[in-house]
Coordinates of all heavy atoms in Angstrom, one line a residue:
E125 N 10.2 3.7 10.8 CA 9.7 4.9 10.1 C 9.5 4.7 8.7 O 10.5 4.5 7.9 CB 10.6 6.1 10.4 CG 9.9 7.4 9.9 CD 10.7 8.6 10.0 OE1 11.7 8.6 10.8 OE2 10.4 9.6 9.4
C126 N 8.2 4.7 8.1 CA 8.0 4.4 6.8 C 7.8 5.9 6.1 O 7.0 6.6 6.6 CB 6.8 3.5 6.6 SG 7.1 1.8 7.2
R127 N 8.5 6.0 5.0 CA 8.2 7.4 4.3 C 8.0 7.2 2.9 O 8.5 6.3 2.3 CB 9.5 8.2 4.4 CG 9.7 8.8 5.7 CD 10.9 9.8 5.5 NE 11.5 10.0 6.9 CZ 12.7 10.6 7.0 NH1 13.6 10.7 6.0 NH2 13.1 10.8 8.3
F128 N 7.1 8.0 2.4 CA 7.0 8.0 0.9 C 8.2 8.8 0.2 O 8.5 9.9 0.7 CB 5.6 8.6 0.5 CG 5.5 8.5 -1.1 CD1 5.3 7.3 -1.7 CD2 5.6 9.6 -1.8 CE1 5.1 7.2 -3.1 CE2 5.5 9.5 -3.3 CZ 5.3 8.4 -3.8
G129 N 8.8 8.2 -0.7 CA 10.0 8.9 -1.4 C 10.6 8.0 -2.3 O 10.5 6.7 -2.2
I130 N 11.1 8.6 -3.3 CA 11.8 7.8 -4.4 C 13.3 8.0 -4.5 O 13.8 9.2 -4.4 CB 11.1 8.2 -5.7 CG1 9.7 7.9 -5.7 CG2 11.8 7.4 -6.8 CD1 8.8 8.6 -6.6
V131 N 14.0 6.9 -4.5 CA 15.5 7.0 -4.4 C 15.9 7.4 -5.9 O 15.5 6.9 -6.9 CB 16.1 5.7 -4.0 CG1 17.7 5.7 -4.3 CG2 15.8 5.5 -2.5
T132 N 16.7 8.5 -5.9 CA 17.1 9.0 -7.3 C 18.5 8.6 -7.6 O 18.9 8.5 -8.7 CB 17.0 10.5 -7.4 OG1 17.8 11.0 -6.3 CG2 15.5 10.9 -7.3
D133 N 19.4 8.4 -6.5 CA 20.8 8.1 -6.8 C 21.4 7.6 -5.5 O 20.9 7.9 -4.4 CB 21.6 9.4 -7.3 CG 22.8 9.1 -8.0 OD1 23.1 7.9 -8.3 OD2 23.5 10.0 -8.4
V134 N 22.5 7.0 -5.7 CA 23.3 6.5 -4.4 C 24.7 6.7 -4.6 O 25.3 6.9 -5.7 CB 23.0 5.0 -4.2 CG1 21.5 4.8 -3.9 CG2 23.5 4.1 -5.3
D135 N 25.4 6.8 -3.5 CA 26.9 6.8 -3.5 C 27.5 5.8 -2.5 O 27.3 6.0 -1.3 CB 27.4 8.2 -3.2 CG 29.0 8.3 -3.2 OD1 29.6 7.3 -3.3 OD2 29.5 9.4 -3.0
F136 N 27.9 4.7 -3.0 CA 28.4 3.6 -2.1 C 29.9 3.5 -1.9 O 30.5 2.5 -1.7 CB 27.9 2.3 -2.6 CG 26.4 2.0 -2.5 CD1 25.7 1.0 -3.2 CD2 25.6 2.8 -1.7 CE1 24.3 0.9 -3.2 CE2 24.1 2.6 -1.6 CZ 23.5 1.7 -2.3
T137 N 30.5 4.7 -2.2 CA 32.1 4.6 -2.2 C 32.6 5.0 -0.8 O 33.8 4.6 -0.5 CB 32.6 5.7 -3.2 OG1 32.1 6.9 -2.9 CG2 32.3 5.2 -4.6
G138 N 31.8 5.6 0.1 CA 32.5 6.1 1.3 C 32.3 5.1 2.5 O 31.7 4.1 2.3
P139 N 32.7 5.6 3.7 CA 32.5 4.7 4.8 C 31.0 4.6 5.2 O 30.6 3.5 5.8 CB 33.3 5.4 5.9 CG 33.6 6.8 5.4 CD 33.4 6.8 4.0
T140 N 30.4 5.7 5.0 CA 28.8 5.5 5.1 C 28.3 5.6 3.8 O 28.8 6.2 2.8 CB 28.2 6.6 6.1 OG1 28.5 7.9 5.5 CG2 28.6 6.5 7.4
H141 N 27.1 5.1 3.5 CA 26.5 5.0 2.2 C 25.5 6.1 2.1 O 24.6 6.2 2.9 CB 25.8 3.6 2.1 CG 26.8 2.5 2.4 ND1 27.9 2.3 1.6 CD2 26.8 1.6 3.4 CE1 28.6 1.3 2.1 NE2 27.9 0.9 3.2
K142 N 25.6 6.9 1.0 CA 24.7 8.0 0.8 C 23.6 7.6 -0.3 O 23.8 7.0 -1.3 CB 25.5 9.2 0.1 CG 26.4 9.7 1.1 CD 27.0 11.0 0.5 CE 28.0 11.6 1.5 NZ 29.2 12.2 0.8
V143 N 22.4 8.0 0.1 CA 21.2 7.7 -0.7 C 20.4 9.0 -0.9 O 20.1 9.6 0.1 CB 20.4 6.5 0.0 CG1 19.0 6.4 -0.7 CG2 21.2 5.3 0.0
Y144 N 20.2 9.3 -2.1 CA 19.6 10.6 -2.4 C 18.1 10.3 -2.8 O 17.8 9.4 -3.5 CB 20.3 11.2 -3.6 CG 21.7 11.5 -3.5 CD1 22.7 10.6 -3.6 CD2 22.1 12.8 -3.0 CE1 24.0 10.9 -3.4 CE2 23.5 13.1 -2.9 CZ 24.4 12.1 -3.0 OH 25.7 12.4 -2.7
V145 N 17.3 11.1 -2.0 CA 15.8 10.9 -2.2 C 15.2 12.1 -2.9 O 15.7 13.2 -2.8 CB 15.2 10.7 -0.8 CG1 13.7 10.2 -1.0 CG2 16.0 9.6 0.0
D146 N 14.1 11.8 -3.5 CA 13.5 13.0 -4.4 C 12.9 14.1 -3.6 O 12.6 15.1 -4.1 CB 12.4 12.4 -5.3 CG 11.2 11.8 -4.7 OD1 11.4 11.7 -3.5 OD2 10.2 11.7 -5.4
D147 N 12.8 13.9 -2.2 CA 12.4 15.0 -1.4 C 13.6 16.0 -1.0 O 13.4 16.9 -0.2 CB 11.6 14.5 -0.1 CG 12.5 13.7 0.7 OD1 13.8 13.5 0.4 OD2 12.1 13.0 1.7
G148 N 14.7 15.7 -1.6 CA 15.9 16.5 -1.3 C 16.8 16.0 -0.2 O 17.8 16.5 0.0
K149 N 16.3 15.0 0.5 CA 17.1 14.5 1.6 C 18.2 13.6 1.0 O 18.1 13.0 0.1 CB 16.1 13.5 2.5 CG 15.3 14.4 3.5 CD 15.2 13.7 4.8 CE 14.4 14.4 5.8 NZ 14.3 15.8 5.9
V150 N 19.3 13.6 1.9 CA 20.4 12.7 1.6 C 20.5 11.8 2.9 O 20.7 12.4 4.0 CB 21.7 13.3 1.4 CG1 22.8 12.2 1.1 CG2 21.7 14.2 0.3
I151 N 20.3 10.5 2.7 CA 20.4 9.6 3.9 C 21.8 9.1 3.9 O 22.2 8.5 2.9 CB 19.3 8.5 3.8 CG1 17.9 9.0 3.5 CG2 19.4 7.7 5.1 CD1 17.3 10.0 4.5
E152 N 22.4 9.2 5.1 CA 23.8 8.6 5.2 C 23.6 7.4 6.1 O 23.3 7.6 7.3 CB 24.7 9.6 5.9 CG 25.2 10.6 4.9 CD 26.4 11.4 5.4 OE1 27.0 11.1 6.4 OE2 26.8 12.5 4.7
A153 N 23.7 6.2 5.5 CA 23.3 5.1 6.3 C 24.5 4.1 6.5 O 25.4 4.0 5.6 CB 22.3 4.2 5.4
E154 N 24.6 3.6 7.7 CA 25.7 2.7 8.0 C 25.4 1.3 7.3 O 26.4 0.7 6.9 CB 25.8 2.4 9.6 CG 26.4 3.7 10.4 CD 26.3 3.3 11.8 OE1 27.0 2.4 12.3 OE2 25.6 4.0 12.5
S155 N 24.1 1.0 7.2 CA 23.8 -0.2 6.3 C 22.6 0.1 5.5 O 21.7 0.9 5.9 CB 23.5 -1.5 7.3 OG 22.4 -1.1 8.0
V156 N 22.5 -0.6 4.3 CA 21.4 -0.3 3.4 C 20.9 -1.7 2.9 O 21.6 -2.6 2.6 CB 21.7 0.5 2.1 CG1 20.6 0.7 1.3 CG2 22.4 1.8 2.5

Side-chain angles (χ1 to χ4, degrees):
E125 184 183 346
C126 296
R127 283 188 200 159
F128 181 72
I130 297 155
V131 169
T132 55
D133 202 4
V134 297
D135 179 353
F136 292 160
T137 54
T140 57
H141 307 296
K142 289 189 185 140
V143 173
Y144 299 83
V145 188
D146 67 343
D147 59 7
K149 281 214 178 333
V150 182
I151 311 297
E152 284 191 13
E154 288 178 62
S155 64
V156 179

